Amino acid sequence: MPHVIARQLDTVLTRSEDDSHRGLAEQTLHLYAVALTVMRQFYDSIAAGTTVMPHRVKRLAQRFVTLTEAGSGALLGVAAMANAHRHDAGRAVQSAVLSLLVARQITTDRVMLARLALAALLAEGGRVRAVGPEGRDRLVPLPEALEAVVPPTSAAVCIATGASTSRMPSEW
């Protein structure tokens, strides 16, 4: 069909599950587990050289913002698990959670919070791309020359994946 573009969707976050029967703590832990899985897959693709960011990464940022609005202390509990995950995806998810918990004290603007969460989720992208598949998930000091490449590589990954936070929806 001319002028029609189709893409395959991963239904992990688009399933129409009714979460109303779950408590906030259970919803938070479920989202945390899904976020770790999604970000691990995304960072694996970045390490392999792919620059397509799945829409589910943006949806993660939005869902974390929604949970912070509920005021659940479960997100604070998730933040306490920072040392449990010593891999890139875990650090990215922890960064998003911690940044939202702090920023929520300053603003309630959903779009700004979602942009902050997305930026935190992508923060490890430059390191992942710079070290490649063989250096994944090892938080060791990088050689000085490689460490200097990480910030511009992070910016390049954000641009290449189309992760411009200016395109976050103004309303959900």
Side-chain angles (χ1 to χ4, degrees):
M1 295 174 58
H3 308 294
V4 175
I5 298 173
R7 64 182 163 88
Q8 183 177 356
L9 290 176
D10 187 347
T11 60
V12 172
L13 294 177
T14 58
R15 280 188 229 138
S16 59
E17 287 182 21
D18 182 17
D19 278 350
S20 61
H21 68 281
R22 294 183 181 173
L24 283 175
E26 190 176 345
Q27 288 178 31
T28 302
L29 289 175
H30 181 260
L31 177 59
Y32 184 71
V34 168
L36 289 174
T37 303
V38 167
M39 292 309 297
R40 190 152 183 98
Q41 291 170 350
F42 176 55
Y43 280 154
D44 285 344
S45 69
I46 287 176
T50 304
T51 57
V52 176
M53 183 177 71
H55 290 283
R56 62 185 180 258
V57 175
K58 286 185 181 181
R59 279 191 231 113
L60 284 175
Q62 294 168 350
R63 295 225 13 225
F64 274 120
V65 169
T66 302
L67 277 179
T68 60
E69 288 175 341
S72 171
L75 267 180
L76 193 55
V78 164
M81 295 174 19
N83 288 332
H85 303 288
R86 300 210 178 266
H87 50 79
D88 303 318
R91 285 190 301 274
V93 172
Q94 286 294 325
S95 296
V97 168
L98 290 172
S99 62
L100 281 176
L101 289 173
V102 171
R104 186 83 172 118
Q105 304 302 312
I106 301 168
T107 184
T108 58
D109 182 354
R110 296 179 90 199
V111 174
M112 295 301 282
L113 291 170
R115 288 176 180 170
L116 178 66
L118 182 60
L121 288 172
L122 298 176
E124 294 288 323
R127 181 178 174 77
V128 168
R129 176 60 69 95
V131 298
E134 63 280 346
R136 287 274 315 204
D137 296 334
R138 289 185 290 150
L139 188 58
V140 296
L142 298 176
E144 192 172 319
L146 191 55
E147 192 67 51
V149 173
V150 170
T153 305
S154 292
V157 166
C158 285
I159 291 167
T161 59
S164 170
T165 56
S166 64
R167 290 191 285 161
M168 291 295 286
S170 59
E171 292 187 32
W172 305 313

